[in-house]
Structures are given as structure tokens and as C-alpha cells.
Amino acid sequence: MTTPPPALLIAGHGTRDEAGAEAFRDFVRELGARHPELPVAGGFIELSPPPLGDAVAELVERGVRRFAAVPLMLVSAGHAKGDIPAALSREQERHPGISYTYGRPLGPHPALLNVLERRLDEALGATGGRTPMDRADVTVLLVGRGSTDPDANAEVYKAARLLWEGRGYAGVETAFVSLAAPDVPSGLDRCVALGARRIVVLPYFLFTGILPDRVLQQAEGWAAAHPEVEVRAADVIGPEPELLDLVMERYEEAVKGDLRMNCDSCVYRIALPGFEDKVGLPQQPHFHPDDDGHHHHGHHHGAHTHAH
């Protein structure tokens, strides 16, 4: 008898916005429908039902003993680093005999960057066969949730840089809607200081909610005070096929224990825009320019290859 695969437990932030909470619950249902071979459940850390504990209890009642938990979050901040592991540990005490592995957050994966690019095209009028505006005239303001964790904020900057690379936008700047600077108005000011005349505000959020709505309100307020600048707002990522596939990719990684660091956006593994010719290239040992080739102080730089 073959061992059944671990169940998929999806952990969400939680939101006071009922439409956002329902979008999460719909997403979990859709994932379950797409993978009937797999027990799938999802719950929230805070603010909205069902709580994560209920999702675990539901799976345990169905006979599940092994889980792979995937945080449905773009960046690894306090929730992904602390709250979810703490909740899972609590559930282990509550249900003796269960075991779990924990996956990693979703972004900034190339599949999600492609969805963000699509959202920008839509905002620029690229739907219905119309040609989008010239990207070279467009500055993007990517707006993240914002955190007291500098590492989490740095992840949003990484997403912005990867979105800019090879796609032809005039620039991609970064702002946050809460807890971190620059805020949305300051981010828009920065875009203008850099010469922007056409800006697309792009929320770095999975689903609708109070914070993405706030991004829109702040952008509209700033635009009303700056009629000389064209400001458009793009939509959130949403329950796209790429997002469904990515959650399953994170599930498989967690099950296999294949938790790579930043290979998602490695140009030698993934065809990123403008760098497609680098995929699969053998990596030669290299020396840093400030090395004289003799004094490595224990760091042999020639050994640094991209062994994926």
C-alpha cells in the first residue's frame, strides 16, 4: 500500500475585507478541485474565518496525518516567519501524531512577475487588441504591504528590480501602504522627481482587500493634486492560473525538502526577459576584480559556481 501524499494546508494573512477573505476561500476550493488526489484546506492567521486551526482539524477528521503548509503570501515577514510556524506547532500539540513540513512564500517568482506585467498592460490599455502605450514612457510604482521587518521590505524591492529588468519600463519604483517608508504619495513624488509623466501604480497584493483599496485611494488623492501627471492604477494579482501552479510548486518543494534559496529568479535556470540566452550556460570559475589571485583569505572565489 502506497503512502498517501501529504495534505496541502494553505495559510493566509486574514483580512477585514469580506471580498478578500472570500477570494482566499474560493482560491482554496479551486485548488482542491484541480487536485482531487490531494486533501486541500486553508485558513487564516487572524481577522477572518476560518482560522488555521479549523483547517487542520478538518484535515485530521479526514484521516490526514502529514501536511505540507504553504503560506499564501508574497513576502516572508512576521506572519510567515513566526505566526504560522507557531500556529502549526500549537496544532501539533493539539493533534498528537501529525507532522508537517513548511513551504516558503510565493514571491518574487517569474510567474508572478508575468502576471504583474499583464496587469500593467491592462492598465495601459493593451486589452482588446489595442497596442499598449510605449513602456519607455511609463514609470511603475510597485506598492507592497509594508512591514517592520527590513528583510520583508527588501523582498518588495527585489520584485521591483526583477520587474524592471528586460521589460522596457522607464523605471520601477517601490512604496509601501503601511508600516514602512516611502508611503504611496512619497513614492509618487519620487517618480516625478525622476522625470516621470505617466505612472502606473501597481499593488503587490494577491487579492482585493482593505490595504489594496487604500493604495488606490492614496493614488487617486495624489493624482487629483497633480493634474499634470497621468496616474493609472493596475489591479491586484488575483487567482490566476500562474498563482494556482505556483502554490503547487511550493507544495512539491516542501514535500521533497527541496527548499532552494533564490533559484526562482536565477538567469541560468529561468528565461527572464532580455536574458533568455543565459539559460543552461555552464558556469566558469570567476575571480572578483579586487582579487589579485593570490590572497583569498580562505574564500576561494573560483569555487562559486551556479550548481543548480
Side-chain angles (χ1 to χ4, degrees), residues 8-222:
L8 169 55
L9 177 67
I10 301 168
H13 271 285
T15 172
R16 290 187 180 87
D17 181 76
E18 181 49 37
E22 190 54 32
F24 173 91
R25 293 188 288 258
D26 280 347
F27 184 83
V28 173
R29 283 191 285 268
E30 171 68 16
L31 207 53
R34 280 176 58 143
H35 297 277
E37 78 287 358
L38 202 61
V40 177
F44 295 105
I45 290 299
E46 61 183 5
L47 301 175
S48 38
L52 198 61
D54 287 10
V56 172
E58 175 198 323
L59 289 169
V60 168
E61 281 169 23
R62 288 163 63 182
V64 169
R65 283 287 167 269
R66 293 161 63 235
F67 299 83
V70 174
L72 200 70
M73 297 168 189
L74 288 167
V75 300
S76 188
H79 282 304
K81 288 177 178 177
D83 297 336
I84 297 172
L88 293 173
S89 176
R90 201 163 51 240
E91 293 309 314
Q92 230 177 349
E93 290 173 18
R94 198 174 284 165
H95 305 281
I98 69 169
S99 63
Y100 66 88
T101 55
Y102 185 36
R104 61 190 175 127
L106 304 174
H109 192 283
L112 293 184
L113 297 172
N114 290 340
V115 178
L116 291 172
E117 183 177 7
R118 198 154 71 231
R119 295 289 176 255
L120 288 169
D121 280 345
E122 291 162 3
L124 293 168
T127 50
R130 289 181 296 169
T131 307
M133 294 175 185
D134 187 353
R135 288 181 177 184
D137 296 333
V138 173
T139 299
V140 178
L141 182 64
L142 184 72
V143 183
R145 174 179 293 270
S147 171
T148 53
D149 181 342
D151 179 50
N153 296 332
E155 285 288 311
V156 182
Y157 275 84
K158 181 175 181 179
R161 178 70 197 194
L162 286 168
L163 186 63
W164 180 81
E165 290 273 4
R167 286 183 172 85
Y169 301 109
V172 180
E173 292 299 307
T174 310
F176 300 97
V177 74
S178 66
L179 298 175
D183 61 12
V184 174
S186 301
L188 288 162
D189 289 343
R190 181 177 169 84
C191 291
V192 170
L194 292 168
R197 288 292 167 267
R198 175 172 292 136
I199 303 168
V200 182
V201 176
L202 177 62
Y204 193 46
F205 287 83
L206 292 174
F207 302 129
T208 54
I210 286 168
L211 292 179
D213 286 349
R214 192 181 300 163
V215 173
L216 193 61
Q217 289 158 7
Q218 290 178 356
E220 286 172 350
W222 186 93

